[in-house]
């Protein structure tokens, strides 16, 4: 498997082990991970720390030309907030672990020129499917549904 | 002036006094401020803490039905990231201090049914205009332009 998607999955697994929602992400430029993170809603009571946002936060302040050479890996199709962050910073490429358990704003991203690749990783699907079955209320809170 | 826009301006002024970018926001439900915040890029070296995101973070975890009764006040037209957060959580109404110094994703928000009101507050314009003139590089970093 792509080592960067594997790193994102490791982040998702770390989140699960902390009692959190298993979604992870890494920001990669020229073969180097600039930032990595995972969803921290449960751990920090924080509604803005989706996995992708946590990875961007952990990468710290970067100039636009760096973001424009990056690929964002995420275990799950990015929601409107995370897709908006991708658009804000002009990240040109997003590798998505799966979009079977949740379909994010892939069409919006594509319409703005972002290159999207969906891996449909069984490991990513399994992590989310188990979590959602066990914790439907938490999951629906995370995507603004209940 | 609307006391909630005034509260958002007070947040922006607090950010400026800390050496930060003067953008503030409050999340309001039924006449009560649930969360307030301001841009903390400079203060925390954090690229995801735009004013609106900080207000949402400070409001903490909320169920969807609460967000759906909220109005988000922001001193500046919301960027793609903050607009995405508004869409994620289904916040139905956004009051914008001004959109003269930066035009965010107002059209996207409107196309998804979000009610937008732009006040064009001279105070909001003045805060941003002075900051951008004095700190163009920081500002362009904040909107992913340089």
């Amino acid at each position: 498997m792509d080592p960067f998607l594997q790193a994102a999955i490791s982040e998702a697994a770390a989140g699960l082990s902390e009692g959190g929602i298993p979604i992870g992400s890494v920001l990669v430029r020229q073969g180097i991970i600039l930032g990595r993170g995972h969803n921290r809603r449960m751990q920090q009571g924080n509604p803005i720390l989706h996995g992708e946002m946590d990875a961007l936060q952990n990468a710290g302040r970067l100039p636009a030309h760096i973001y424009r050479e990056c690929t964002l890996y995420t275990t799950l199709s990015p929601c409107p907030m995370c897709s908006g962050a991708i658009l804000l910073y002009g990240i040109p490429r997003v590798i998505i672990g799966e979009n079977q358990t949740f379909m994010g704003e892939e069409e919006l991203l594509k319409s703005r020129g972002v290159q999207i690749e969906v891996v449909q990783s069984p490991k990513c699907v399994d992590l989310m499917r188990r979590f959602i079955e066990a914790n439907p209320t938490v999951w629906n809170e995370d995507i603004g549904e209940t």
Side-chain angles (χ1 to χ4, degrees), chain A residues 18 37-46 49 54 58:
Chain A
E18 295 162 3
H38 52 265
N39 187 302
R40 297 186 197 263
R41 171 177 298 275
M42 305 298 289
Q43 298 93 319
Q44 296 186 13
N46 192 326
L49 284 181
D54 193 42
N58 291 335

Side-chain angles (χ1 to χ4, degrees), chain A residues 11-85:
Chain A
E11 285 291 325
L16 188 65
S17 74
E18 295 162 3
I21 303 172
I23 305 171
S25 178
V26 295
L27 183 69
V28 176
R29 175 178 177 252
Q30 297 177 351
I32 293 169
I33 293 177
L34 301 186
R36 53 195 303 153
H38 52 265
N39 187 302
R40 297 186 197 263
R41 171 177 298 275
M42 305 298 289
Q43 298 93 319
Q44 296 186 13
N46 192 326
I48 70 166
L49 284 181
H50 278 189
E52 301 91 324
M53 303 299 287
D54 193 42
L56 291 171
Q57 176 172 275
N58 291 335
R61 289 174 55 186
L62 297 169
H65 74 89
I66 299 290
Y67 287 117
R68 285 173 192 162
E69 295 171 355
C70 283
T71 298
L72 186 73
Y73 289 75
T74 174
T75 57
L76 183 64
S77 186
C79 85
M81 173 174 67
C82 299
S83 297

Side-chain angles (χ1 to χ4, degrees), chain A residues 109 122 128:
Chain A
L109 290 171
M128 280 309 293

Side-chain angles (χ1 to χ4, degrees), chain A residues 82-98:
Chain A
C82 299
S83 297
I86 290 161
L87 294 175
L88 170 63
Y89 289 121
I91 297 169
R93 188 161 170 253
V94 181
I95 311 289
I96 297 170
E98 62 106 354

